[in-house]
Amino acid sequence: MILGDLGAQVIKVERPGAGDDTRAWGPPFVASESTYFLSVNRNKKSIAVDLKHPRGAQIVQQLAGVCDVLLENYVPGKLRHMGLGYEQLSGLNPRLIYCSITGYGQTGPHAQSPGYDSIASAVSGMMHITGPEGGDPVRPGVAMTDLATGLYAHGAVMAALLQRQKTGRGVHIDCNLLSSQVSCLSHIAANYLNAGKEARRWGTAHESIVPYQGFKTKDGHIVVAAGNEKQFVRVCQVMELMELTEDPKYKTNKLRVENRKQLLHTLSQRFLQETTADWLKKFKGSGVPIGPINSIQEVFSEPQFWKNSWENTLISVPGPAVRFSSFSPSGPTPPPLIGQHTVEVLRDVLSYSDDIIETLLESKAVVQNKVS
Amino acid sequence: MSACVGVLKRRLGALCPAGFASPLQPLRCPGGGRWESSTQTGETLRPLEGVRVLDLTRVLAGPFASMILGDLGAQVIKVERPGAGDDTRAWGPPFVASESTYFLSVNRNKKSIAVDLKHPRGAQIVQQLAGVCDVLLENYVPGKLRHMGLGYEQLSGLNPRLIYCSITGYGQTGPHAQSPGYDSIASAVSGMMHITGPEGGDPVRPGVAMTDLATGLYAHGAVMAALLQRQKTGRGVHIDCNLLSSQVSCLSHIAANYLNAGKEARRWGTAHESIVPYQGFKTKDGHIVVAAGNEKQFVRVCQVMELMELTEDPKYKTNKLRVENRKQLLHTLSQRFLQETTADWLKKFKGSGVPIGPINSIQEVFSEPQVKHNRLVQEMNHPTAGRIAVIGPAVRFSSFSPSGPTPPPLIGQHTVEVLRDVLSYSDDIIETLLESKAVVQNKVS
């Protein structure tokens, strides 16, 4: 999707019938399409091809011959079995950039395990470090492991395009959920690898900075990030708790970390006394980083978000996250129906004649949606 | 570094006394399309060899992005303020010698120059570097760099090919544009915290700064997209990456549910709203996650757990029914999972085709055979910290291997080297700059 946002022509190959599983992942649905599918499939054409049909696999081979990039997320070996593996397709098209996305990698003891965000999140340590202090692990509320892997992949594809300009050749790229999430452990991993320090769950809090966390308010939650002495004093001013600034136990961040339980208790009690909106008002202009824990409805009421966002006319999805001064993200095409562009792609990209297209449709190697 | 421009600058250097801003536009050598770094050419060429990145970012999102660009072969020059440098150098314990593990984890493959941007000569050096770099990365509050003569309009005036990537909390303009970006707060404001936490419990944040990291990942891709675009247009671009947009974009279907169906999201612990069983369970000695996404897998789960009666129960026949009757089903499964250890469950489920995995502690992560197989741990020698280990690149390319990283630099370790080799300053001028404290060189180089 991101590559499509950046101008690439994306041809999405789906199996006839159900297509991408997520089309059915609802409620909610908007007409026949799940919001899940709609959220990540704009700017793509869909062709419905039966890869198990020899003519179907052949069409994909031919498309690979005229494409720059192939993205796939099959368990390693499956596509090779159909004649669509990296070695086979790069033999036909040495310039092909073949990006494989899996759960664990192309080789190794778990390479044959299908990739699920929940499980990769567990195995990679992400769940272990997420959850309430003293409570059970939880997963991030959206599949951040999947998303991080997709983000790594979109960059890798462009790196490969840049490399191809020098070498004239494509490459096989190995992206996987496990490696992506472990890489994102960054300092948590470095703490263990270099100092043997195990990580634990901290709720909304920060291990080494106090106060730097969420607090319950009268009607919700708010997050305060007072990263240094000056900000701590401001916090005390705004909250009318100036006596805290006199207390030797809280003079420096190091001391506040040591005496966190008591300090956080005092602050928590005080935060409970006002609403989130009132606290935001009081803290405005204080220079202390602060923000509400927004529900999804509140996110889309945030004035800053509307400045950044963009929507389709009939359906709404969050648009591209990144803006470029050289072009604006105008005119997205909507997520396609299953097989909406099968005939169009065969005709325009592979230059098939109408007769051959007719034969293929009859053979059921490919399927065209009644909507095109 | 191209010799011809070096000569030109040295001649100009002789004509221009120190302190005079060189009007020199960066020239391309005849026959050369880009600055070539002094590294190798040939088959092990990495994708970004020859690309030079001027990195003014600090903390996590920016350094994470520039680190990946460095992994891909770019030359990264990290600009730090003299003295403390990047704040994260001090973010510990833990430390390894003088360096925090935090800093070490995201700063390999970069050179550090210590420059006082508030000193006129300091800002000038950064301007000149921007003239000979392909990419500039920064994460200042909008307007701050412009105030120092280092804003996008100013620098692209000097170097129209410059790709200028800004990373902020909320964006370059708008009601919150002046608020500094903190992962915790962006995570809260963007809805991420609202959807993370135990069912019926309070919101929590992801245990590592995923908002920062997602933004860094968006940025690394955007920089390469801009490099691709520049090949057609010959011009650079200003890129706006920010924590809020990155995290809201990552809400994907959660956001689409709300925008199209008015459906608010809530916290589910480890569970999935629309698939049962698809979550973590406590075992005798830890936690395990099972992802039984369809009927066949549910039956397998019941087989392995010796709970075949569940497959007969009409209440659990389809996923839809299991979702409707989740409380009771999950209670039954939870009780059963408690009876064995994680290791025993993994053994029992092996070969069943049911996706399953342990909730690993960090120590357990690094004992995972697949983690070892993927060679994710990269070791290297650091000048003062000795042998250090960090997580290496997540993505593998068949065309090159991620060998030979350079260790995270000490503050100002490469100041003189960069002034001499990249800007072709003479030793005299470098000496003057060091004395003026516009720049600082670490005693280790």
Side-chain angles (χ1 to χ4, degrees):
Chain A
M1 175 180 77
I2 301 176
L3 298 177
D5 286 341
L6 294 170
Q9 180 191 24
V10 179
I11 300 170
K12 185 178 173 82
V13 179
E14 302 184 66
R15 70 177 195 275
D20 186 322
D21 277 345
T22 62
R23 289 181 181 273
W25 284 15
F29 290 92
V30 186
S32 59
E33 307 298 288
S34 71
T35 48
Y36 197 111
F37 180 82
L38 295 177
S39 68
V40 290
N41 284 287
R42 64 176 175 267
N43 287 329
K44 306 176 192 175
K45 294 185 190 291
S46 164
I47 66 175
V49 183
D50 182 359
L51 295 184
K52 298 199 173 96
H53 193 296
R55 283 298 267 128
Q58 194 182 57
I59 283 164
V60 174
Q61 277 178 350
Q62 289 177 347
L63 283 169
V66 297
C67 285
D68 297 283
V69 180
L70 182 148
L71 278 170
E72 62 90 7
N73 72 333
Y74 284 76
V75 167
K78 281 245 149 68
L79 285 179
R80 187 171 55 247
H81 188 67
M82 298 188 249
L84 302 173
Y86 171 67
E87 292 77 15
Q88 295 150 322
L89 293 183
S90 63
L92 294 173
N93 178 4
R95 290 175 58 81
L96 184 66
I97 289 154
Y98 191 113
C99 181
S100 297
I101 297 176
T102 55
Y104 302 91
Q106 289 292 300
T107 57
H110 286 138
Q112 291 298 305
S113 303
Y116 288 80
D117 176 274
S118 266
I119 295 180
S121 187
V123 173
S124 68
M126 185 65 193
M127 273 197 206
H128 174 75
I129 59 176
T130 302
E133 216 179 320
D136 287 335
V138 300
R139 48 180 276 269
V142 73
M144 285 309 295
T145 303
D146 264 335
L147 294 163
T149 305
L151 286 169
Y152 269 113
H154 101 288
V157 163
M158 286 189 282
L161 285 166
L162 286 164
Q163 185 176 45
R164 188 176 74 173
Q165 288 165 345
K166 295 175 207 163
T167 63
R169 300 192 67 82
V171 68
H172 191 185
I173 300 171
D174 178 349
C175 287
N176 63 85
L177 301 183
L178 180 67
S179 296
S180 302
Q181 188 61 73
V182 172
S183 290
C184 286
L185 292 183
S186 63
H187 62 101
I188 303 280
N191 287 354
Y192 174 74
L193 293 170
N194 295 287
K197 181 167 192 240
E198 180 58 66
R200 63 180 191 79
R201 293 181 281 288
W202 285 96
T204 60
H206 197 295
E207 175 168 15
S208 349
I209 310 177
V210 174
Y212 200 98
Q213 62 188 72
F215 295 93
K216 264 199 171 107
T217 64
K218 205 175 201 176
D219 65 344
H221 294 86
I222 206 166
V223 174
V224 173
N228 58 38
E229 267 55 271
K230 197 166 84 173
Q231 284 173 352
F232 176 64
V233 169
R234 284 277 167 75
V235 166
C236 296
Q237 274 170 350
V238 170
M239 299 181 79
E240 291 167 355
L241 288 169
M242 284 310 287
E243 63 275 19
L244 295 178
T245 62
E246 302 302 311
D247 194 327
K249 286 201 306 298
Y250 308 139
K251 269 282 176 222
T252 64
N253 181 60
K254 197 165 190 286
L255 284 163
R256 290 191 291 278
V257 169
E258 277 166 37
N259 300 303
R260 63 194 297 147
K261 256 193 138 105
Q262 195 177 339
L263 174 58
L264 291 171
H265 177 80
T266 308
L267 294 175
S268 303
Q269 294 297 107
R270 181 76 185 93
F271 269 115
L272 278 171
Q273 294 172 340
E274 316 275 355
T275 63
T276 301
D278 280 344
W279 280 123
L280 290 171
K281 228 177 294 177
K282 287 179 198 282
F283 272 96
K284 201 174 161 69
S286 67
V288 177
I290 189 165
I293 294 184
N294 278 332
S295 67
I296 306 306
Q297 180 173 25
E298 289 162 342
V299 169
F300 292 105
S301 313
E302 276 282 339
Q304 183 68 33
F305 176 74
W306 289 112
K307 182 99 184 110
N308 295 350
S309 79
W310 143 95
E311 280 183 11
N312 248 317
T313 35
L314 294 172
I315 59 164
S316 303
V317 291
V322 181
R323 292 300 153 89
F324 294 74
S325 62
S326 47
F327 67 94
S328 50
S330 54
T333 57
L337 296 166
I338 168 73
Q340 186 177 342
H341 307 98
T342 303
V343 169
E344 179 189 317
V345 168
L346 291 177
R347 196 185 56 219
D348 297 348
V349 179
L350 291 180
S351 303
Y352 278 14
S353 68
D354 290 342
D355 291 341
I356 293 183
I357 293 175
E358 196 55 47
T359 315
L360 285 168
L361 288 168
E362 272 162 26
S363 76
K364 301 265 196 285
V366 302
V367 178
Q368 167 65 43
N369 195 293
K370 59 185 197 288
V371 175
S372 58
Chain B
M1 168 76 173
S2 310
C4 57
V5 174
V7 168
L8 212 47
K9 278 203 180 260
R10 278 193 289 276
R11 288 194 185 137
L12 255 183
L15 295 172
C16 307
F20 181 83
S22 165
L24 183 71
Q25 292 271 9
L27 298 177
R28 298 292 167 188
C29 271
R34 47 174 66 249
W35 304 119
E36 286 298 327
S37 74
S38 56
T39 56
Q40 77 281 25
T41 56
E43 273 148 11
T44 53
L45 201 62
R46 287 183 287 171
L48 297 183
E49 297 283 357
V51 173
R52 191 179 277 138
V53 176
L54 187 62
D55 181 7
L56 274 62
T57 66
R58 302 127 314 155
V59 188
L60 184 56
F64 188 68
S66 64
M67 174 179 76
I68 301 175
L69 298 176
D71 285 343
L72 294 170
Q75 180 191 23
V76 180
I77 299 170
K78 184 180 174 83
V79 179
E80 301 184 68
R81 71 177 193 274
D86 186 320
D87 276 345
T88 61
R89 289 181 181 274
W91 284 16
F95 290 92
V96 188
S98 59
E99 308 297 287
S100 71
T101 48
Y102 198 113
F103 180 83
L104 295 177
S105 69
V106 290
N107 285 286
R108 62 174 175 269
N109 287 329
K110 305 177 193 178
K111 294 184 190 290
S112 164
I113 65 174
V115 183
D116 182 359
L117 295 185
K118 299 202 171 93
H119 192 299
R121 282 299 265 130
Q124 191 181 63
I125 283 162
V126 173
Q127 275 178 351
Q128 290 176 348
L129 283 169
V132 298
C133 286
D134 298 282
V135 180
L136 182 148
L137 279 171
E138 62 91 6
N139 72 332
Y140 284 76
V141 168
K144 281 244 151 67
L145 284 180
R146 187 170 57 245
H147 188 67
M148 297 188 249
L150 302 173
Y152 171 66
E153 293 77 12
Q154 295 150 322
L155 294 183
S156 63
L158 293 173
N159 178 6
R161 289 174 61 81
L162 184 67
I163 289 155
Y164 190 113
C165 181
S166 296
I167 296 175
T168 56
Y170 302 93
Q172 289 292 299
T173 57
H176 287 306
Q178 291 298 305
S179 302
Y182 288 80
D183 175 274
S184 266
I185 295 181
S187 187
V189 173
S190 67
M192 185 65 194
M193 272 198 206
H194 174 76
I195 60 177
T196 302
E199 214 179 324
D202 287 334
V204 300
R205 44 179 279 268
V208 73
M210 285 309 295
T211 303
D212 263 336
L213 295 165
T215 305
L217 287 170
Y218 269 113
H220 101 288
V223 162
M224 286 190 282
L227 285 166
L228 285 163
Q229 185 175 48
R230 188 175 74 173
Q231 289 166 344
K232 298 176 206 163
T233 64
R235 301 194 64 84
V237 68
H238 191 186
I239 300 170
D240 177 349
C241 288
N242 64 85
L243 302 184
L244 178 68
S245 296
S246 302
Q247 188 61 73
V248 172
S249 288
C250 286
L251 292 183
S252 61
H253 60 101
I254 303 279
N257 287 353
Y258 173 75
L259 292 170
N260 295 287
K263 182 166 193 238
E264 180 58 68
R266 63 182 191 78
R267 292 180 283 286
W268 285 96
T270 58
H272 197 295
E273 175 166 15
S274 348
I275 309 177
V276 174
Y278 199 97
Q279 63 187 72
F281 294 93
K282 262 199 172 108
T283 64
K284 204 175 202 175
D285 65 344
H287 294 87
I288 205 166
V289 175
V290 173
N294 57 40
E295 267 55 271
K296 197 167 84 174
Q297 284 174 351
F298 175 64
V299 169
R300 283 279 166 77
V301 167
C302 297
Q303 273 170 350
V304 170
M305 299 182 77
E306 292 166 354
L307 290 169
M308 283 311 287
E309 62 275 20
L310 295 180
T311 63
E312 302 302 312
D313 194 327
K315 284 200 310 294
Y316 308 140
K317 270 288 178 211
T318 65
N319 181 61
K320 198 166 189 284
L321 285 163
R322 290 192 290 276
V323 169
E324 278 167 36
N325 300 302
R326 61 193 299 149
K327 255 195 139 108
Q328 194 177 341
L329 174 58
L330 291 171
H331 177 80
T332 308
L333 294 174
S334 304
Q335 293 298 107
R336 182 74 184 93
F337 269 115
L338 277 171
Q339 294 172 340
E340 315 274 356
T341 63
T342 301
D344 280 343
W345 281 122
L346 290 171
K347 228 178 292 178
K348 287 177 198 280
F349 272 96
K350 201 173 161 68
S352 67
V354 178
I356 190 164
I359 295 186
N360 279 331
S361 67
I362 305 305
Q363 180 173 25
E364 289 161 342
V365 169
F366 292 105
S367 310
E368 275 286 339
Q370 187 69 37
V371 170
K372 290 187 182 158
H373 178 87
N374 288 1
R375 296 196 313 268
L376 290 172
V377 179
Q378 218 176 27
E379 292 192 8
M380 62 200 88
N381 284 320
H382 183 281
T384 59
R387 198 103 182 112
I388 60 166
V390 293
I391 302 299
V395 181
R396 292 300 153 88
F397 294 73
S398 62
S399 49
F400 68 93
S401 51
S403 54
T406 57
L410 295 165
I411 167 73
Q413 186 177 342
H414 307 97
T415 303
V416 169
E417 179 190 317
V418 168
L419 291 177
R420 196 185 56 220
D421 297 348
V422 179
L423 292 180
S424 302
Y425 277 16
S426 67
D427 291 342
D428 290 343
I429 294 182
I430 293 175
E431 196 55 49
T432 315
L433 285 168
L434 289 168
E435 271 163 27
S436 75
K437 301 264 196 287
V439 301
V440 177
Q441 167 65 44
N442 195 291
K443 58 186 194 291
V444 176
S445 58

